[in-house]
Amino acid sequence: MTEARVPAGPDGAAHPPGTPCWVSLMVHRMTATQEFYGALFGWEFRPGPRQLGPYVRAMLDGREVAGIGQLPPDRHLPVAWTPYLASDDADHTAELVRHCGGTVGVGPLEAAGSGRLAIASDPSGAVFGIWERAAHRGAAVTDAPGAPAWHELRTRDTPGVAKFYRTVFGYEDTPADVTGPGHVTLRLKGRPVAGIHGVGDALPRNRGAHWLTYFGVTDTDKAVTRVSELGGRLVEPAHDTAHGRVATVADPEGAVFSLVHGVG
């Protein structure tokens, strides 16, 4: 983890282009997944756009924080949290992704008046979303218990992917000195918005480069225990960092995410 701060626009305002503005999870068992995250984070749910199948928006104290969708029965895709990066023009951003060596797998397409989206992957294969806001601005709260707190790309090739994201989204990237070589912080106008964590050969063989979402909690150790009680599992034990106490876990379908206490 680099710098735990996700700047967001004020309520009703658009997130600046390049800002992680939403996070979404596609699963096989919608009801069970909602029960898991509802019990873990206190989320409630309401229906969302259905272009790609059944989809709900997770609500925290009445404000939108994340989305959960249903995978088609015949699609055996990895279950993973996917961050969406804000764009003023999803079609233009998708073209930049292709031009810079990435791939666009879905879209750009309209989401029932909520906005325009695409699902892409960078040259290392890490999947992310592109979101052009219309009625839906993205997450209404960050840096709070039960809400996304940070997004970090785990990769073997920090210089290559940093160049890709810098070109496509206009990031400035600076070394994250507290976490060692190969780690950089992605910034917009000097503000940290996401990180790249170079893990080299430590990247799991069964999982390539990927984005990891951190969710805020009030107590990391208690949250880890709750994950296990709800049918999830521990991936990386809780440990103290310069930005708070962090643990990495997986939900019952295998979606990996981190828990952090002490953000900001």
Side-chain angles (χ1 to χ4, degrees):
M1 186 175 184
T2 52
E3 298 186 43
R5 176 63 61 185
V6 177
D11 287 348
H15 293 260
T19 305
C21 63
W22 189 244
V23 64
S24 190
L25 177 65
M26 300 298 290
V27 300
H28 299 284
R29 301 186 296 274
M30 281 277 289
T31 300
T33 299
Q34 291 177 66
E35 291 173 351
F36 173 85
Y37 287 101
L40 181 62
F41 293 138
W43 290 350
E44 297 178 338
F45 301 91
R46 74 178 190 189
R50 298 174 61 93
Q51 272 81 356
L52 303 180
Y55 189 84
V56 295
R57 289 178 178 157
M59 312 293 293
L60 182 66
D61 298 327
R63 295 185 291 176
E64 297 175 339
V65 292
I68 298 175
Q70 175 80 54
L71 283 168
D74 59 343
R75 299 293 298 275
H76 302 288
L77 299 173
V79 176
W81 282 101
T82 301
Y84 282 72
L85 307 178
S87 171
D88 284 340
D89 186 332
D91 294 86
H92 177 65
T93 302
E95 283 302 314
L96 280 175
V97 166
R98 296 186 185 99
H99 179 73
C100 294
T103 301
V104 178
V106 176
L109 54 82
E110 296 292 332
S114 295
R116 192 161 174 79
L117 69 87
I119 306 295
S121 57
D122 65 28
S124 71
V127 176
F128 63 94
I130 299 164
W131 182 254
E132 178 188 340
R133 177 205 180 189
H136 176 58
R137 64 178 289 269
V141 57
T142 58
D143 285 349
W150 186 247
H151 302 276
E152 184 175 83
L153 175 62
R154 299 286 181 95
T155 183
R156 293 187 178 90
D157 178 22
T158 297
V161 295
K163 180 180 179 180
F164 168 84
Y165 287 101
R166 186 169 60 242
T167 304
V168 175
F169 293 102
Y171 297 131
E172 311 132 22
D173 58 71
T174 59
D177 294 334
V178 297
T179 48
H183 300 194
V184 301
T185 299
L186 301 176
R187 300 174 183 271
L188 292 170
K189 297 183 179 179
R191 298 184 300 171
V193 296
I196 298 177
H197 183 156
V199 296
D201 292 337
L203 198 66
R205 290 183 178 275
N206 62 347
R207 191 177 189 199
H210 60 276
W211 281 92
L212 178 68
T213 295
Y214 291 72
F215 291 95
V217 293
T218 56
D219 186 309
T220 302
D221 296 274
K222 288 183 178 179
V224 168
T225 299
R226 188 63 174 141
V227 166
S228 297
E229 292 171 347
L230 294 168
R233 62 182 175 86
L234 180 65
V235 176
E236 296 178 8
H239 58 284
D240 294 320
T241 74
H243 305 291
R245 189 159 176 80
V246 175
T248 301
V249 297
D251 70 19
E253 285 207 36
V256 175
F257 58 98
S258 286
L259 305 165
V260 58
H261 170 64
V263 175

